[in-house]
Amino acid sequence: MTSQVSSPAGQADGTDGTDAAVVGEQRKPGGTKDVRRLDRVIIRFAGDSGDGMQLTGDRFTSETASFGNDLSTLPNFPAEIRAPAGTLPGVSSFQLHFADHDILTPGDAPNVLVAMNPAALKANIGDVPRGAEIIVNTDEFTKRAMQKVGYAASPLEDGSLDGYQIHPVPLTTLTVEALKDFDLTRKEAERSKNMFALGLLSWMYHRPTEGTEKFLKSKFAKKPDIAAANIAAFRAGWNFGETTEDFAVSYEVAPAAKAFPVGTYRNISGNLALSYGLVSASRQADLPLFLGSYPITPASDILHELSKHKNFGVRTFQAEDEIAGIGAALGAAFGGSLAVTTTSGPGVALKSETIGLAVSLELPLLVIDIQRGGPSTGLPTKTEQADLLQAMFGRNGEAPVPIVAPRTPADCFDAALEAARIALVYRTPVMLLSDGYLANGSEPWRIPEPDELPDLTVQFAQGPNHTLEDGSEVFWPYKRDPQTLARPWAVPGTPGLEHRIGGIEKQDGTGNISYDPANHDFMVRTRQAKIDGIDVPDVEVDDPHEARTLVLGWGSTYGPITAAVRRLRAAGEPIAQAHLRHLNPFPKNLGAVLKAYDKVVIPEMNLGQLATLVRARYLVDAHSYNQVNGMPFKAEQLASALKEAIDG
């Protein structure tokens, strides 16, 4: 039997302009439960930060990726290292959107909420649409736990949840009962309740199980009893779904066979993709990779990942502070390495003097800023795009730096390669602006073939490059390539290439210290011309209907913007879209693109930083649409704002 009736378990965020629907319904052979086929589902796991929600979501995501669905995730961490158990600040959640077709966002609202305690329910119920399914761990709804988050009466009994499909499940009790034959204390057994919930949801949505069981055996290889207990809890959750009367329907979401080009795929997060991109760049350049870094959320995962790859010539240095981290990286660049430093916004402030030194020395250096909410310490675990002006201008003097921004988690791989290309070809520090949404989110990524990667081979200076009037040959460290204006890269220890370095202004050509006003003016303008002359691709415009309104974005707003544009076009609204990867220099055709439209709307997770740059550079009356709440845009929210712009 087929149907086009919308299902609460399959409502969508409209990322492709259509509502999700039940696409099929059948009975399992020999069974009594219905199986409904959906085109997509949005699930959110929520609980205390000690309940293992991130692990649960990650495992469900991994199995979904192996099944072949397109997917997008949104982990949401509490900022506190360990907030008091059962409190609203301690709630951790993981949202996953998976589908049988191409999707772009983690979804606006969950169709299924798994709430492990009253705090998780209260913190997330505002995002859950009426008619959605809520699986509640009833064991945690004690009087004390409910009072802790402000519930005067049980929401499971006072009628406040009557508009939802509630599944009350004593997850803790069922887990302890399933593990009664194991030599575990009750507290130890309770820790496996997240695996029971994972098993239940895996049954509910027909997810593979082999990968999770293999993962648990590997994760707890040194504690086989704990591994066996978690596997038992996982299987018990699956069996509970199969046998209980409360879950009369399970759901299938077919693989997204038509969403992906042919290739080998894996699920990847933004920080992992960035790490792999950096390793690939070092291999393509035939240079050792050096990372000088100080741990900071949400950039630390790059340090963790790169430290695993010594076999690829990667050296990682965890410094005592941000300044030492970038200082070591710049020293590695001087020594002939592909040098990288990673941080988040507050760390960029500390690194700014050394970035200026790298501008003066004209050495390749990748400065990776995984943006988070600010100012100061701000929101360490929440996302924002508010470091663009800091990247553009956050140094003393005229110190121009190229800026590259990835658009999706998987795109972080390509952005790392592009940032490395610019740094190596033009001998300049490069800022790469990712953010917490991209860093922690994940999506399928097609693993590229080696011959698809760019050639980043570097030629070091080998000998004299200038002839004096008396005919003698010397090495001038600031004699420039006429095409790129890049200076030669001389590795220390190369005979005859001794030269002076430092932060004081250089004399053109010789690199000697110079206080000459005319020389300083020339060097400032030359460094700026080098950045302005960087070869970047033209910005591409998606405009199938000759629209009069253009929505322009950068970085991680790509998914929500594209989802909103799809929704508007499906409703018959003409709108054009362009997205920037290169923010300094801008693509050469950007001015002409902007002036071709009556209205330009720029959504940003800041108070209008790209809009400020666009207005100043191109004298275009760009309209800002801004959000700074620590969360990514929702597609429906953006679609409404863009519709107002079209009609206004």
Side-chain angles (χ1 to χ4, degrees):
M1 181 175 70
T2 61
S3 171
Q4 293 301 314
V5 180
S6 295
S7 164
Q11 291 172 344
D13 70 346
T15 51
D16 64 353
T18 61
D19 291 329
V22 178
V23 295
E25 200 167 324
Q26 66 185 52
R27 295 276 183 174
K28 292 179 67 177
T32 59
K33 295 193 175 186
D34 292 337
V35 179
R36 296 180 187 172
R37 287 185 287 125
L38 306 173
D39 63 353
R40 58 176 147 188
V41 175
I42 304 165
I43 298 174
R44 183 182 297 178
F45 298 93
D48 193 74
S49 58
D51 286 338
M53 293 296 93
Q54 302 303 322
L55 175 62
T56 304
D58 183 69
R59 288 314 314 160
F60 196 96
T61 299
S62 294
E63 297 295 0
T64 297
S66 68
F67 187 71
N69 295 118
D70 195 10
L71 61 90
S72 180
T73 67
L74 178 62
N76 192 5
F77 308 94
E80 289 78 3
I81 293 174
R82 187 67 180 94
T87 63
L88 293 174
V91 173
S92 176
S93 67
F94 188 104
Q95 184 161 305
L96 165 68
H97 182 191
F98 62 102
D100 65 2
H101 58 274
D102 173 37
I103 58 173
L104 297 155
T105 76
D108 284 2
N111 315 123
V112 181
L113 171 66
V114 179
M116 302 296 282
N117 60 19
L121 178 64
K122 187 162 190 176
N124 292 279
I125 190 64
D127 294 334
V128 182
R130 293 284 175 170
E133 299 191 62
I134 303 177
I135 300 172
V136 181
N137 180 14
T138 55
D139 287 328
E140 296 298 320
F141 279 71
T142 64
K143 184 176 181 180
R144 181 182 178 186
M146 289 186 290
Q147 288 177 341
K148 191 180 292 187
V149 296
Y151 280 128
S154 173
L156 306 180
E157 300 171 357
D158 65 4
S160 61
L161 300 178
D162 286 350
Y164 305 93
Q165 299 182 48
I166 304 299
H167 300 282
V169 181
L171 286 172
T172 307
T173 300
L174 291 171
T175 302
V176 172
E177 177 65 21
L179 302 183
K180 64 182 180 180
D181 294 333
F182 289 82
D183 186 21
L184 300 173
T185 66
R186 179 179 177 85
K187 188 174 183 180
E188 289 172 333
E190 289 178 359
R191 290 174 182 165
S192 297
K193 63 181 180 288
N194 64 323
M195 288 298 104
F196 189 100
L198 177 60
L200 173 58
L201 268 293
S202 296
W203 169 83
M204 194 172 173
Y205 289 96
H206 296 247
R207 299 296 92 185
T209 61
E210 295 81 3
T212 293
E213 294 193 8
K214 183 178 179 181
F215 167 83
L216 291 170
K217 290 177 182 177
S218 174
K219 180 176 177 63
F220 298 106
K222 296 181 179 180
K223 298 179 179 179
D225 291 345
I226 299 298
N230 277 281
I231 292 171
F234 177 67
R235 291 175 177 173
W238 177 282
N239 293 333
F240 177 77
E242 183 75 21
T243 58
T244 184
E245 295 292 330
D246 194 40
F247 292 90
V249 178
S250 64
Y251 304 94
E252 288 183 344
V253 180
K258 298 180 180 179
F260 307 118
V262 175
T264 302
Y265 287 80
R266 59 156 294 165
N267 184 50
I268 200 165
S269 68
N271 274 350
L272 185 58
L274 251 177
S275 301
Y276 288 174
L278 293 171
V279 175
S280 298
S282 75
R283 294 298 84 207
Q284 293 303 107
D286 195 23
L287 298 174
L289 178 65
F290 179 90
L291 173 66
S293 183
Y294 180 76
I296 183 171
T297 302
S300 299
D301 286 343
I302 302 173
L303 171 61
H304 300 159
E305 182 61 33
L306 289 179
S307 68
K308 303 174 184 177
H309 298 292
K310 297 180 179 65
N311 56 312
F312 287 115
V314 178
R315 292 185 179 181
T316 53
F317 170 54
Q318 181 174 323
E320 66 268 26
D321 56 38
E322 296 280 7
I323 298 171
I326 190 172
L330 185 56
F334 179 60
S337 293
L338 176 59
V340 185
T341 189
T342 53
T343 190
S344 190
V348 176
L350 292 168
K351 295 178 188 294
S352 62
E353 183 179 6
T354 308
I355 298 173
L357 176 59
V359 171
S360 176
L361 297 180
E362 300 189 46
L363 287 171
L365 174 68
L366 302 186
V367 182
I368 296 175
D369 177 10
I370 313 297
Q371 301 166 95
R372 71 189 202 190
S376 189
T377 307
L379 306 174
T381 61
K382 309 301 179 183
T383 196
E384 205 163 273
Q385 285 184 300
D387 295 350
L388 176 56
L389 295 184
Q390 181 185 33
M392 184 74 77
F393 303 120
R395 293 160 297 281
N396 65 293
E398 295 289 345
V401 169
I403 304 172
V404 174
R407 60 176 58 181
T408 69
D411 188 49
C412 288
F413 177 87
D414 295 319
L417 285 164
E418 175 64 358
R421 177 191 73 86
I422 293 173
L424 294 171
V425 171
Y426 294 91
R427 310 284 198 268
T428 177
V430 177
M431 294 283 292
L432 190 152
L433 296 182
S434 179
D435 59 41
Y437 172 41
L438 296 184
N440 297 316
S442 63
E443 66 176 350
W445 172 58
R446 187 182 71 83
I447 301 172
E449 297 296 330
D451 59 6
E452 296 175 355
L453 301 178
D455 181 5
L456 301 179
T457 306
V458 174
Q459 295 295 326
F460 291 115
Q462 299 297 324
N465 62 356
H466 184 74
T467 303
L468 298 176
E469 291 182 359
D470 62 5
S472 59
E473 294 185 340
V474 297
F475 174 68
W476 273 15
Y478 281 83
K479 185 169 185 176
R480 301 180 182 279
D481 181 289
Q483 298 298 320
T484 65
L485 299 182
R487 79 175 187 92
W489 193 1
V491 176
T494 306
L497 302 190
E498 298 86 353
H499 61 282
R500 186 190 301 270
I501 63 168
I504 299 177
E505 183 62 281
K506 320 291 187 290
Q507 184 182 52
D508 178 41
T510 68
N512 296 329
I513 291 175
S514 174
Y515 293 95
D516 177 61
N519 178 79
H520 176 60
D521 183 274
F522 178 82
M523 293 295 279
V524 166
R525 294 179 185 277
T526 300
R527 287 189 289 261
Q528 183 66 57
K530 181 174 71 170
I531 303 307
D532 292 342
I534 291 173
D535 182 24
V536 303
D538 283 349
V539 63
E540 297 181 359
V541 182
D542 176 19
D543 185 5
H545 303 114
E546 297 186 357
R548 303 315 309 156
T549 299
L550 171 72
V551 54
L552 178 69
W554 70 278
S556 66
T557 56
Y558 174 77
I561 288 174
T562 307
V565 166
R566 286 182 180 181
R567 176 175 292 194
L568 288 171
R569 288 176 180 171
E573 299 288 347
I575 187 167
Q577 178 186 1
H579 208 80
L580 294 174
R581 163 172 284 177
H582 298 89
L583 297 154
N584 193 30
F586 285 131
K588 291 181 174 58
N589 70 328
L590 180 58
V593 166
L594 295 172
K595 291 175 182 177
Y597 291 90
D598 296 337
K599 297 178 184 176
V600 177
V601 183
I602 304 179
E604 298 180 78
M605 292 188 293
N606 57 49
L607 295 183
Q609 297 188 14
L610 175 61
T612 296
L613 295 174
V614 164
R615 291 187 188 113
R617 176 71 180 273
Y618 300 106
L619 303 180
V620 169
D621 186 20
H623 301 272
S624 286
Y625 183 74
N626 309 117
Q627 172 178 295
V628 282
N629 61 7
M631 298 294 289
F633 283 111
K634 294 182 178 180
E636 182 179 5
Q637 164 195 3
L638 268 181
S640 297
L642 295 176
K643 179 66 165 62
E644 290 181 9
I646 294 171
D647 295 340

